[in-house]
Coordinates of all heavy atoms in Angstrom, one line a residue:
M1 N -4.2 12.9 -19.7 CA -3.9 11.9 -18.7 C -3.5 12.6 -17.4 O -2.9 13.6 -17.3 CB -2.7 11.0 -19.1 CG -2.9 10.3 -20.4 SD -4.0 8.9 -20.4 CE -3.0 7.7 -19.4
K2 N -3.8 11.9 -16.3 CA -3.5 12.4 -15.0 C -3.0 11.2 -14.1 O -3.6 10.1 -14.1 CB -4.7 13.1 -14.3 CG -4.3 13.9 -13.1 CD -5.5 14.5 -12.4 CE -5.0 15.1 -11.1 NZ -6.1 15.1 -10.1
K3 N -2.0 11.5 -13.2 CA -1.5 10.5 -12.3 C -2.5 10.4 -11.1 O -2.9 11.4 -10.5 CB -0.2 10.9 -11.8 CG 0.4 9.9 -10.8 CD 1.9 10.3 -10.4 CE 1.9 11.5 -9.5 NZ 3.2 11.9 -9.1
V4 N -2.9 9.2 -10.8 CA -3.9 9.1 -9.6 C -3.2 8.3 -8.5 O -3.8 8.2 -7.4 CB -5.2 8.4 -10.1 CG1 -6.0 9.3 -11.0 CG2 -4.9 7.0 -10.7
Y5 N -2.1 7.7 -8.8 CA -1.5 6.8 -7.7 C 0.0 6.7 -8.0 O 0.4 6.6 -9.1 CB -2.1 5.5 -7.7 CG -1.7 4.5 -6.6 CD1 -2.1 4.7 -5.3 CD2 -0.7 3.5 -6.9 CE1 -1.7 3.8 -4.3 CE2 -0.3 2.7 -5.8 CZ -0.8 2.9 -4.6 OH -0.3 2.0 -3.6
A6 N 0.8 6.7 -6.9 CA 2.2 6.4 -7.0 C 2.6 5.6 -5.7 O 2.1 5.9 -4.7 CB 3.1 7.6 -7.1
S7 N 3.5 4.6 -5.9 CA 3.9 3.8 -4.8 C 5.3 3.3 -5.0 O 5.6 2.9 -6.2 CB 2.9 2.7 -4.6 OG 3.5 1.7 -3.7
P8 N 6.1 3.2 -4.0 CA 7.4 2.5 -4.2 C 7.3 1.0 -4.4 O 8.2 0.4 -4.7 CB 8.1 2.8 -2.9 CG 7.1 3.0 -1.9 CD 5.9 3.6 -2.6
D9 N 6.1 0.5 -4.2 CA 5.8 -0.9 -4.2 C 5.1 -1.3 -5.5 O 4.0 -1.0 -5.7 CB 5.0 -1.3 -3.0 CG 4.6 -2.7 -2.9 OD1 5.1 -3.5 -3.8 OD2 3.9 -3.1 -2.0
L10 N 5.8 -2.0 -6.3 CA 5.2 -2.3 -7.6 C 4.0 -3.2 -7.5 O 3.1 -3.2 -8.2 CB 6.3 -3.0 -8.5 CG 5.9 -3.3 -10.0 CD1 5.6 -1.9 -10.7 CD2 7.1 -4.0 -10.7
L11 N 4.0 -4.1 -6.4 CA 2.8 -4.9 -6.2 C 1.6 -4.1 -5.9 O 0.5 -4.4 -6.4 CB 3.1 -5.8 -5.0 CG 3.9 -7.1 -5.3 CD1 4.1 -7.9 -4.0 CD2 3.2 -8.0 -6.3
S12 N 1.8 -3.0 -5.1 CA 0.6 -2.1 -4.8 C 0.1 -1.5 -6.1 O -1.1 -1.4 -6.3 CB 1.0 -1.0 -3.8 OG 1.4 -1.6 -2.6
A13 N 1.1 -1.0 -6.9 CA 0.7 -0.4 -8.1 C -0.1 -1.3 -9.0 O -1.1 -1.0 -9.6 CB 1.9 0.2 -8.9
G14 N 0.4 -2.6 -9.1 CA -0.3 -3.6 -9.9 C -1.7 -3.9 -9.3 O -2.7 -4.0 -10.1
H15 N -1.8 -3.8 -8.0 CA -3.1 -4.1 -7.4 C -4.1 -2.9 -7.7 O -5.3 -3.2 -8.1 CB -2.9 -4.1 -5.9 CG -4.2 -4.5 -5.1 ND1 -4.9 -5.6 -5.4 CD2 -4.8 -3.9 -4.1 CE1 -5.9 -5.7 -4.6 NE2 -5.9 -4.6 -3.8
V16 N -3.6 -1.7 -7.7 CA -4.4 -0.6 -8.1 C -4.9 -0.7 -9.5 O -6.1 -0.5 -9.8 CB -3.7 0.8 -7.8 CG1 -4.4 1.9 -8.5 CG2 -3.5 1.0 -6.3
R17 N -4.0 -1.1 -10.4 CA -4.3 -1.2 -11.8 C -5.4 -2.3 -11.9 O -6.4 -2.1 -12.7 CB -3.1 -1.7 -12.6 CG -2.2 -0.6 -13.0 CD -1.4 -1.0 -14.2 NE -2.1 -0.8 -15.5 CZ -1.7 -1.3 -16.6 NH1 -0.6 -2.1 -16.7 NH2 -2.3 -1.1 -17.7
N18 N -5.3 -3.4 -11.2 CA -6.4 -4.4 -11.3 C -7.7 -3.9 -10.8 O -8.7 -4.2 -11.4 CB -6.0 -5.6 -10.5 CG -4.8 -6.4 -11.1 OD1 -4.6 -6.3 -12.3 ND2 -4.1 -7.2 -10.3
L19 N -7.7 -3.2 -9.7 CA -8.9 -2.6 -9.2 C -9.6 -1.7 -10.2 O -10.8 -1.7 -10.4 CB -8.7 -1.9 -7.9 CG -8.6 -2.7 -6.6 CD1 -8.3 -1.8 -5.4 CD2 -9.8 -3.5 -6.4
L20 N -8.7 -0.8 -10.8 CA -9.3 0.1 -11.8 C -9.9 -0.6 -13.0 O -10.9 -0.3 -13.5 CB -8.1 1.1 -12.3 CG -7.6 2.0 -11.2 CD1 -6.4 2.8 -11.8 CD2 -8.7 3.0 -10.8
E21 N -9.2 -1.7 -13.4 CA -9.7 -2.5 -14.5 C -11.0 -3.1 -14.2 O -11.9 -3.1 -15.0 CB -8.6 -3.5 -14.8 CG -8.8 -4.2 -16.2 CD -7.7 -5.1 -16.5 OE1 -6.5 -4.6 -16.6 OE2 -7.9 -6.3 -16.7
Q22 N -11.1 -3.6 -12.9 CA -12.4 -4.2 -12.5 C -13.5 -3.1 -12.5 O -14.7 -3.5 -12.7 CB -12.3 -4.7 -11.1 CG -11.5 -6.1 -11.1 CD -11.1 -6.4 -9.7 OE1 -11.6 -5.9 -8.7 NE2 -10.1 -7.3 -9.6
N23 N -13.2 -1.9 -12.4 CA -14.1 -0.8 -12.4 C -14.3 -0.2 -13.8 O -14.9 0.9 -14.0 CB -13.8 0.3 -11.4 CG -14.1 -0.1 -10.0 OD1 -15.1 0.1 -9.5 ND2 -13.1 -0.7 -9.3
G24 N -13.7 -0.9 -14.8 CA -13.8 -0.4 -16.2 C -13.0 0.8 -16.6 O -13.3 1.5 -17.5
I25 N -11.9 1.0 -15.8 CA -11.1 2.2 -16.0 C -9.8 1.7 -16.6 O -9.0 1.0 -16.0 CB -10.9 3.0 -14.7 CG1 -12.2 3.4 -14.1 CG2 -10.0 4.2 -15.0 CD1 -12.1 3.9 -12.7
A26 N -9.4 2.2 -17.8 CA -8.2 1.9 -18.4 C -7.1 2.7 -17.8 O -7.3 3.9 -17.4 CB -8.2 2.1 -19.9
S27 N -5.9 2.1 -17.5 CA -4.8 2.9 -16.9 C -3.5 2.5 -17.5 O -3.4 1.5 -18.2 CB -4.8 2.6 -15.4 OG -4.5 1.2 -15.2
Q28 N -2.5 3.4 -17.3 CA -1.2 3.2 -17.7 C -0.3 3.1 -16.5 O -0.4 3.9 -15.6 CB -0.7 4.3 -18.6 CG -1.1 4.3 -20.0 CD -0.5 5.4 -20.8 OE1 0.4 6.1 -20.3 NE2 -0.9 5.5 -22.1
L29 N 0.6 2.1 -16.5 CA 1.7 2.0 -15.5 C 2.9 2.7 -16.0 O 3.4 2.3 -17.1 CB 1.9 0.6 -15.1 CG 3.0 0.3 -14.1 CD1 2.6 0.9 -12.7 CD2 3.2 -1.2 -13.9
R30 N 3.4 3.7 -15.3 CA 4.6 4.4 -15.8 C 5.7 4.3 -14.8 O 5.4 4.0 -13.6 CB 4.3 5.9 -16.0 CG 3.3 6.2 -17.0 CD 3.2 7.7 -17.3 NE 2.1 7.9 -18.3 CZ 1.8 9.1 -18.7 NH1 2.4 10.2 -18.3 NH2 0.8 9.3 -19.6
N31 N 6.9 4.4 -15.2 CA 8.1 4.3 -14.4 C 8.5 2.9 -14.0 O 9.4 2.7 -13.3 CB 8.0 5.1 -13.1 CG 8.2 6.6 -13.3 OD1 8.5 7.0 -14.4 ND2 8.0 7.4 -12.3
Y32 N 7.7 2.0 -14.6 CA 8.0 0.6 -14.3 C 9.5 0.3 -14.5 O 10.1 -0.4 -13.8 CB 7.1 -0.3 -15.1 CG 7.4 -1.8 -15.1 CD1 7.1 -2.5 -13.9 CD2 7.9 -2.5 -16.1 CE1 7.3 -3.8 -13.8 CE2 8.2 -3.8 -16.0 CZ 7.9 -4.5 -14.9 OH 8.2 -5.8 -14.8
Y33 N 10.0 0.8 -15.6 CA 11.3 0.5 -16.1 C 12.4 1.3 -15.4 O 13.6 1.1 -15.6 CB 11.4 0.8 -17.6 CG 11.0 2.2 -17.9 CD1 11.9 3.2 -17.9 CD2 9.7 2.5 -18.2 CE1 11.5 4.5 -18.2 CE2 9.3 3.8 -18.5 CZ 10.2 4.8 -18.5 OH 9.8 6.1 -18.7
L34 N 12.0 2.3 -14.5 CA 13.0 3.1 -13.9 C 13.5 2.5 -12.5 O 14.4 3.1 -11.9 CB 12.4 4.5 -13.6 CG 12.4 5.5 -14.7 CD1 11.7 6.8 -14.3 CD2 13.8 5.7 -15.3
G35 N 13.0 1.4 -12.1 CA 13.4 0.8 -10.9 C 14.9 0.7 -10.7 O 15.4 0.9 -9.6
G36 N 15.6 0.4 -11.8 CA 17.0 0.3 -11.7 C 17.7 1.6 -11.4 O 18.9 1.6 -11.1
G37 N 17.0 2.7 -11.6 CA 17.6 4.0 -11.4 C 17.6 4.5 -9.9 O 18.2 5.5 -9.6
I38 N 16.9 3.7 -9.0 CA 16.9 4.1 -7.7 C 18.3 4.2 -7.1 O 19.1 3.3 -7.3 CB 16.0 3.2 -6.8 CG1 14.5 3.4 -7.3 CG2 16.2 3.4 -5.3 CD1 13.6 2.4 -6.6
G39 N 18.6 5.3 -6.5 CA 19.9 5.6 -6.0 C 20.6 6.7 -6.8 O 21.4 7.4 -6.3
D40 N 20.2 6.8 -8.1 CA 20.7 7.8 -8.9 C 19.7 9.0 -9.1 O 20.1 10.1 -9.3 CB 21.0 7.3 -10.3 CG 22.0 6.2 -10.3 OD1 22.9 6.2 -9.5 OD2 21.9 5.2 -11.1
L41 N 18.5 8.7 -8.9 CA 17.4 9.7 -9.1 C 16.7 9.9 -7.8 O 16.8 9.0 -6.9 CB 16.4 9.2 -10.1 CG 16.9 9.0 -11.5 CD1 15.9 8.2 -12.3 CD2 17.1 10.3 -12.2
P42 N 16.0 11.1 -7.6 CA 15.2 11.2 -6.4 C 14.2 10.1 -6.3 O 13.6 9.7 -7.3 CB 14.5 12.5 -6.7 CG 15.3 13.3 -7.7 CD 16.0 12.2 -8.5
V43 N 14.1 9.5 -5.1 CA 13.4 8.2 -5.0 C 12.0 8.2 -5.6 O 11.6 7.4 -6.3 CB 13.4 7.7 -3.6 CG1 12.5 6.5 -3.4 CG2 14.9 7.2 -3.2
N44 N 11.3 9.3 -5.2 CA 9.9 9.3 -5.6 C 9.7 9.6 -7.0 O 8.6 9.5 -7.6 CB 9.0 10.2 -4.7 CG 9.5 11.6 -4.7 OD1 10.4 12.0 -5.5 ND2 8.9 12.5 -3.9
E45 N 10.7 9.9 -7.8 CA 10.6 10.0 -9.2 C 10.7 8.7 -9.9 O 10.5 8.5 -11.1 CB 11.6 11.0 -9.8 CG 11.3 12.5 -9.4 CD 12.2 13.5 -10.0 OE1 12.9 13.1 -11.0 OE2 12.2 14.6 -9.6
C46 N 11.1 7.7 -9.1 CA 11.3 6.3 -9.6 C 10.1 5.5 -9.3 O 10.0 4.3 -9.8 CB 12.5 5.7 -9.0 SG 14.1 6.5 -9.3
W47 N 9.2 6.0 -8.5 CA 8.1 5.1 -8.1 C 7.2 4.8 -9.3 O 7.0 5.7 -10.2 CB 7.2 5.9 -7.1 CG 7.8 6.0 -5.8 CD1 9.1 5.6 -5.4 CD2 7.2 6.5 -4.6 NE1 9.3 5.9 -4.1 CE2 8.2 6.4 -3.5 CE3 5.9 7.0 -4.3 CZ2 7.9 6.8 -2.2 CZ3 5.6 7.4 -3.0 CH2 6.6 7.3 -2.0
P48 N 6.7 3.6 -9.4 CA 5.7 3.2 -10.4 C 4.5 4.2 -10.2 O 4.1 4.4 -9.0 CB 5.3 1.8 -10.0 CG 6.5 1.2 -9.3 CD 7.1 2.4 -8.6
E49 N 3.9 4.6 -11.3 CA 2.8 5.6 -11.2 C 1.7 5.0 -12.0 O 1.9 4.4 -13.1 CB 3.2 6.9 -11.7 CG 4.3 7.6 -10.9 CD 4.8 8.9 -11.6 OE1 4.5 9.2 -12.8 OE2 5.5 9.6 -10.9
I50 N 0.5 5.3 -11.6 CA -0.7 4.9 -12.4 C -1.4 6.2 -12.9 O -1.7 7.1 -12.2 CB -1.8 4.2 -11.5 CG1 -1.2 3.0 -10.7 CG2 -3.0 3.7 -12.3 CD1 -0.8 1.8 -11.6
W51 N -1.5 6.2 -14.2 CA -2.1 7.3 -14.9 C -3.4 6.9 -15.6 O -3.5 5.7 -16.1 CB -1.2 7.9 -16.0 CG 0.1 8.5 -15.4 CD1 1.0 8.0 -14.7 CD2 0.4 9.9 -15.5 NE1 2.0 8.9 -14.3 CE2 1.6 10.1 -14.8 CE3 -0.2 11.0 -16.2 CZ2 2.2 11.4 -14.7 CZ3 0.4 12.3 -16.1 CH2 1.6 12.4 -15.4
V52 N -4.4 7.7 -15.6 CA -5.7 7.4 -16.3 C -6.1 8.6 -17.2 O -5.6 9.7 -17.0 CB -6.8 7.1 -15.3 CG1 -6.4 5.9 -14.4 CG2 -7.1 8.3 -14.5
D53 N -7.0 8.4 -18.1 CA -7.5 9.5 -18.9 C -8.2 10.5 -18.0 O -8.8 10.2 -17.0 CB -8.6 8.9 -19.9 CG -7.9 8.3 -21.1 OD1 -6.7 8.8 -21.5 OD2 -8.4 7.4 -21.7
D54 N -8.2 11.7 -18.5 CA -8.8 12.8 -17.7 C -10.3 12.5 -17.4 O -10.8 12.8 -16.3 CB -8.8 14.1 -18.5 CG -7.4 14.7 -18.6 OD1 -6.5 14.2 -17.8 OD2 -7.1 15.5 -19.5
S55 N -11.0 11.8 -18.3 CA -12.4 11.6 -18.1 C -12.6 10.5 -17.0 O -13.7 10.4 -16.5 CB -13.1 11.1 -19.4 OG -12.4 9.9 -19.9
D56 N -11.6 9.8 -16.7 CA -11.7 8.7 -15.6 C -11.1 9.1 -14.3 O -11.2 8.3 -13.3 CB -11.0 7.4 -16.1 CG -11.7 6.7 -17.2 OD1 -13.0 6.8 -17.2 OD2 -11.0 6.2 -18.1
V57 N -10.6 10.3 -14.2 CA -9.8 10.7 -13.0 C -10.7 10.6 -11.7 O -10.3 10.1 -10.7 CB -9.2 12.1 -13.2 CG1 -8.8 12.7 -11.8 CG2 -8.1 12.1 -14.1
A58 N -11.9 11.2 -11.8 CA -12.7 11.2 -10.6 C -13.0 9.8 -10.1 O -12.9 9.5 -8.9 CB -14.0 12.0 -10.9
R59 N -13.4 8.9 -11.0 CA -13.7 7.6 -10.6 C -12.5 6.8 -10.1 O -12.5 6.1 -9.1 CB -14.4 6.8 -11.7 CG -15.8 7.2 -12.0 CD -16.5 6.2 -12.9 NE -15.8 6.0 -14.1 CZ -15.7 4.9 -14.8 NH1 -16.2 3.8 -14.4 NH2 -15.0 4.8 -16.0
A60 N -11.4 7.1 -10.8 CA -10.1 6.4 -10.4 C -9.7 6.8 -9.0 O -9.2 6.0 -8.2 CB -9.0 6.7 -11.4
E61 N -9.8 8.1 -8.8 CA -9.4 8.6 -7.4 C -10.3 8.1 -6.3 O -9.8 7.8 -5.2 CB -9.4 10.2 -7.4 CG -8.3 10.8 -8.2 CD -8.3 12.3 -8.2 OE1 -9.3 12.9 -8.0 OE2 -7.2 12.9 -8.5
Q62 N -11.5 7.8 -6.7 CA -12.4 7.2 -5.7 C -12.0 5.8 -5.4 O -11.9 5.4 -4.2 CB -13.9 7.2 -6.2 CG -14.9 6.5 -5.4 CD -15.2 7.3 -4.1 OE1 -14.9 8.5 -4.0 NE2 -15.6 6.6 -3.1
V63 N -11.6 5.0 -6.4 CA -11.1 3.7 -6.2 C -9.9 3.6 -5.4 O -9.8 2.9 -4.4 CB -10.9 3.0 -7.6 CG1 -10.1 1.7 -7.4 CG2 -12.2 2.8 -8.4
V64 N -9.0 4.6 -5.7 CA -7.7 4.6 -4.9 C -8.0 5.0 -3.5 O -7.4 4.4 -2.5 CB -6.7 5.6 -5.6 CG1 -5.5 5.9 -4.7 CG2 -6.3 5.1 -6.9
R65 N -8.9 5.9 -3.3 CA -9.2 6.4 -1.9 C -9.8 5.2 -1.1 O -9.4 5.0 0.1 CB -10.2 7.6 -2.0 CG -10.3 8.3 -0.6 CD -10.8 9.8 -0.9 NE -11.9 9.8 -1.8 CZ -12.0 10.5 -2.9 NH1 -11.0 11.2 -3.3 NH2 -13.0 10.5 -3.7
E66 N -10.7 4.5 -1.7 CA -11.3 3.4 -1.0 C -10.3 2.3 -0.6 O -10.3 1.8 0.5 CB -12.4 2.8 -1.8 CG -13.7 3.6 -1.8 CD -14.7 3.1 -2.8 OE1 -14.5 2.0 -3.4 OE2 -15.7 3.8 -3.0
L67 N -9.3 2.1 -1.5 CA -8.3 1.1 -1.3 C -7.4 1.6 -0.1 O -7.1 0.8 0.8 CB -7.4 0.9 -2.5 CG -6.2 0.0 -2.3 CD1 -6.6 -1.4 -2.0 CD2 -5.3 0.1 -3.5
Q68 N -7.0 2.9 -0.1 CA -6.1 3.4 0.9 C -6.8 3.4 2.3 O -6.2 3.1 3.3 CB -5.7 4.8 0.5 CG -4.6 4.7 -0.6 CD -4.2 6.0 -1.1 OE1 -4.9 7.0 -1.1 NE2 -3.0 6.1 -1.7
E69 N -8.1 3.6 2.3 CA -8.9 3.6 3.5 C -8.9 2.2 4.1 O -8.8 1.9 5.3 CB -10.3 4.1 3.3 CG -10.4 5.6 3.3 CD -11.7 6.1 2.8 OE1 -12.7 5.3 2.7 OE2 -11.8 7.4 2.6
A70 N -9.0 1.2 3.1 CA -9.1 -0.2 3.6 C -7.7 -0.6 4.1 O -7.6 -1.4 5.1 CB -9.4 -1.1 2.4
L71 N -6.6 -0.1 3.5 CA -5.3 -0.4 4.0 C -4.9 0.3 5.3 O -4.0 -0.1 6.0 CB -4.3 -0.1 2.9 CG -4.3 -0.9 1.6 CD1 -3.3 -0.4 0.6 CD2 -4.1 -2.4 1.9
A72 N -5.6 1.4 5.6 CA -5.3 2.2 6.7 C -5.9 1.8 8.0 O -5.9 2.4 9.0 CB -5.6 3.7 6.4
E73 N -6.6 0.6 8.0 CA -7.2 0.1 9.2 C -6.2 0.1 10.3 O -5.0 -0.4 10.1 CB -7.6 -1.4 9.0 CG -8.7 -1.6 7.9 CD -10.1 -1.5 8.5 OE1 -10.3 -2.1 9.6 OE2 -10.9 -0.7 8.0
P74 N -6.5 0.7 11.4 CA -5.5 0.8 12.5 C -5.1 -0.6 13.0 O -6.0 -1.5 13.1 CB -6.2 1.6 13.6 CG -7.7 1.4 13.3 CD -7.8 1.2 11.8
P75 N -3.9 -0.8 13.4 CA -3.5 -2.1 14.0 C -4.1 -2.2 15.4 O -4.6 -1.3 15.9 CB -2.0 -1.9 14.1 CG -1.7 -0.5 14.2 CD -2.8 0.2 13.4
G76 N -4.1 -3.4 15.8 CA -4.7 -3.7 17.2 C -3.8 -3.0 18.2 O -2.8 -2.4 18.0
P77 N -4.3 -3.1 19.5 CA -3.5 -2.5 20.6 C -2.2 -3.3 20.8 O -2.1 -4.4 20.4 CB -4.4 -2.6 21.8 CG -5.3 -3.8 21.4 CD -5.4 -3.8 20.0
P78 N -1.2 -2.6 21.5 CA 0.0 -3.3 21.9 C -0.4 -4.5 22.7 O -1.4 -4.5 23.4 CB 0.8 -2.3 22.7 CG 0.2 -1.0 22.2 CD -1.2 -1.2 21.9
W79 N 0.4 -5.5 22.7 CA 0.1 -6.8 23.5 C 1.4 -7.2 24.2 O 2.5 -7.0 23.8 CB -0.5 -7.8 22.6 CG 0.4 -8.2 21.4 CD1 0.5 -7.5 20.3 CD2 1.2 -9.3 21.3 NE1 1.3 -8.1 19.4 CE2 1.8 -9.3 20.0 CE3 1.5 -10.4 22.1 CZ2 2.7 -10.2 19.5 CZ3 2.4 -11.4 21.7 CH2 3.0 -11.3 20.4
I80 N 1.2 -7.9 25.3 CA 2.3 -8.4 26.1 C 2.4 -9.9 25.8 O 1.5 -10.7 25.9 CB 2.0 -8.3 27.6 CG1 1.7 -6.8 28.0 CG2 3.1 -8.8 28.5 CD1 2.9 -5.9 27.7
C81 N 3.6 -10.3 25.5 CA 3.9 -11.7 25.1 C 3.8 -12.6 26.4 O 4.4 -12.3 27.4 CB 5.4 -11.8 24.6 SG 5.8 -13.5 24.3
P82 N 2.9 -13.6 26.3 CA 2.7 -14.5 27.4 C 3.9 -15.4 27.7 O 4.1 -15.9 28.8 CB 1.5 -15.4 27.0 CG 1.5 -15.4 25.5 CD 2.1 -14.0 25.1
A83 N 4.8 -15.5 26.7 CA 6.0 -16.4 26.9 C 7.1 -15.7 27.6 O 7.8 -16.3 28.5 CB 6.4 -17.0 25.6
C84 N 7.4 -14.4 27.2 CA 8.5 -13.8 27.8 C 8.2 -12.4 28.4 O 9.1 -11.8 29.0 CB 9.6 -13.6 26.7 SG 9.2 -12.3 25.5
G85 N 7.0 -12.0 28.3 CA 6.6 -10.7 29.0 C 7.0 -9.5 28.2 O 6.8 -8.4 28.7
E86 N 7.5 -9.6 27.0 CA 7.9 -8.5 26.2 C 6.6 -7.8 25.6 O 5.6 -8.4 25.3 CB 8.7 -8.9 25.0 CG 9.5 -7.8 24.3 CD 10.4 -7.0 25.2 OE1 11.3 -7.7 25.8 OE2 10.2 -5.8 25.3
R87 N 6.7 -6.4 25.5 CA 5.6 -5.7 25.0 C 5.8 -5.6 23.4 O 6.9 -5.2 23.0 CB 5.6 -4.3 25.6 CG 4.5 -3.4 25.1 CD 4.6 -2.0 25.8 NE 3.5 -1.1 25.5 CZ 3.4 -0.3 24.4 NH1 4.4 -0.3 23.6 NH2 2.4 0.4 24.2
N88 N 4.8 -5.9 22.7 CA 4.8 -5.8 21.2 C 3.8 -4.9 20.7 O 2.7 -4.8 21.2 CB 4.6 -7.2 20.6 CG 5.7 -8.2 21.0 OD1 6.7 -8.2 20.4 ND2 5.4 -9.0 22.0
E89 N 4.1 -4.2 19.6 CA 3.2 -3.3 18.9 C 2.1 -4.1 18.2 O 2.3 -5.3 17.9 CB 3.9 -2.4 17.9 CG 4.9 -1.4 18.6 CD 4.2 -0.5 19.6 OE1 3.0 -0.1 19.5 OE2 4.9 -0.3 20.7
G90 N 0.9 -3.5 18.1 CA -0.3 -4.2 17.6 C -0.2 -4.8 16.3 O -0.9 -5.7 15.9
Q91 N 0.7 -4.2 15.4 CA 0.7 -4.7 14.0 C 1.5 -6.0 13.9 O 1.5 -6.7 12.9 CB 1.3 -3.7 13.1 CG 2.8 -3.4 13.2 CD 3.0 -2.1 14.1 OE1 2.3 -1.9 15.1 NE2 4.0 -1.3 13.8
F92 N 2.2 -6.4 15.0 CA 3.0 -7.7 14.9 C 2.2 -8.9 15.4 O 1.6 -8.8 16.4 CB 4.3 -7.5 15.8 CG 5.2 -6.4 15.3 CD1 5.4 -5.3 16.1 CD2 5.8 -6.5 14.0 CE1 6.2 -4.3 15.6 CE2 6.6 -5.4 13.6 CZ 6.8 -4.3 14.4
G93 N 2.3 -9.9 14.6 CA 1.6 -11.2 15.0 C 2.4 -12.1 15.8 O 1.9 -13.1 16.3
E94 N 3.7 -11.8 15.9 CA 4.6 -12.6 16.7 C 5.5 -11.7 17.6 O 5.7 -10.6 17.2 CB 5.6 -13.4 15.8 CG 4.9 -14.4 14.9 CD 5.9 -15.2 14.0 OE1 7.0 -14.8 13.9 OE2 5.4 -16.2 13.4
C95 N 5.9 -12.3 18.7 CA 6.7 -11.5 19.6 C 8.1 -11.3 18.9 O 8.7 -12.2 18.4 CB 6.9 -12.3 20.9 SG 8.1 -11.6 22.0
W96 N 8.5 -10.0 18.9 CA 9.8 -9.7 18.3 C 11.0 -10.3 19.1 O 12.0 -10.5 18.5 CB 10.0 -8.2 18.1 CG 10.2 -7.5 19.4 CD1 9.2 -6.9 20.1 CD2 11.4 -7.2 20.1 NE1 9.7 -6.3 21.3 CE2 11.1 -6.5 21.3 CE3 12.7 -7.5 19.9 CZ2 12.0 -6.1 22.2 CZ3 13.7 -7.2 20.8 CH2 13.3 -6.4 21.9
H97 N 10.7 -10.5 20.3 CA 11.8 -11.0 21.2 C 12.0 -12.5 21.2 O 13.1 -13.0 21.0 CB 11.5 -10.5 22.6 CG 12.6 -10.8 23.6 ND1 12.5 -11.7 24.6 CD2 13.9 -10.3 23.7 CE1 13.6 -11.7 25.3 NE2 14.5 -10.9 24.8
C98 N 10.9 -13.2 21.3 CA 11.1 -14.7 21.4 C 10.4 -15.4 20.3 O 10.5 -16.6 20.1 CB 10.6 -15.2 22.7 SG 8.8 -15.2 22.9
G99 N 9.6 -14.7 19.4 CA 9.0 -15.4 18.3 C 7.6 -16.1 18.6 O 7.1 -16.7 17.7
A100 N 7.2 -16.0 19.8 CA 5.9 -16.6 20.2 C 4.8 -15.9 19.4 O 4.8 -14.7 19.2 CB 5.6 -16.5 21.7
T101 N 3.8 -16.7 19.0 CA 2.6 -16.2 18.3 C 1.7 -15.4 19.3 O 1.5 -15.8 20.4 CB 1.8 -17.3 17.7 OG1 2.7 -18.1 16.8 CG2 0.6 -16.8 16.9
R102 N 1.2 -14.3 18.8 CA 0.3 -13.5 19.6 C -0.9 -14.3 20.0 O -1.5 -15.0 19.1 CB -0.2 -12.2 18.8 CG -1.2 -11.4 19.6 CD -1.5 -10.1 18.9 NE -2.0 -10.3 17.6 CZ -2.2 -9.2 16.8 NH1 -2.0 -8.0 17.2 NH2 -2.7 -9.4 15.5
P103 N -1.3 -14.3 21.2 CA -2.5 -15.1 21.6 C -3.8 -14.5 20.9 O -3.9 -13.3 20.7 CB -2.6 -14.8 23.1 CG -1.3 -14.2 23.5 CD -0.7 -13.6 22.3
A104 N -4.7 -15.4 20.6 CA -5.8 -15.0 19.8 C -6.7 -14.0 20.6 O -7.4 -13.2 20.0 CB -6.6 -16.3 19.4
S105 N -6.6 -14.1 21.9 CA -7.5 -13.3 22.7 C -7.0 -11.8 22.8 O -7.7 -11.0 23.3 CB -7.6 -13.9 24.1 OG -6.3 -13.9 24.7
V106 N -5.8 -11.6 22.3 CA -5.3 -10.2 22.4 C -5.3 -9.5 21.1 O -4.9 -10.1 20.1 CB -3.8 -10.3 22.9 CG1 -3.2 -8.9 23.0 CG2 -3.8 -11.0 24.3
G107 N -5.7 -8.3 21.0 CA -5.6 -7.5 19.8 C -6.6 -7.8 18.8 O -6.5 -7.2 17.7
T108 N -7.6 -8.6 19.0 CA -8.6 -8.8 18.0 C -9.9 -8.1 18.5 O -10.3 -8.5 19.6 CB -8.9 -10.3 17.8 OG1 -8.9 -11.0 19.0 CG2 -7.7 -10.9 17.0
P109 N -10.4 -7.2 17.8 CA -11.6 -6.5 18.2 C -12.8 -7.4 18.3 O -12.9 -8.4 17.7 CB -11.8 -5.5 17.1 CG -11.0 -5.9 15.9 CD -9.9 -6.9 16.4
Ligands
ZN201 ZN1 8.1 -13.2 23.7

């Protein structure tokens, strides 16, 4: 067995497992039960981990890589709030200052 993925986010780990399953790759989720130990153990030793059989490692790593590339899409450019003039980073859909929604014409490629 080999670890192909680890994340502090159990939802992400579950998503990876589902993707692997869709690709016909059996996997094990480890450390699921260690979540309560965070604070006592080094944090990344508590992360949920996905393990697969040695024969599936190459395919599993490809699935994980494609997922991470999809998640790594760069955020849009910073935008200026039309309501209050505040500058907001591209990943935010609302103005952090006044809560106005980002205009559709800004930050969409
Ligand atoms: Zn604003």
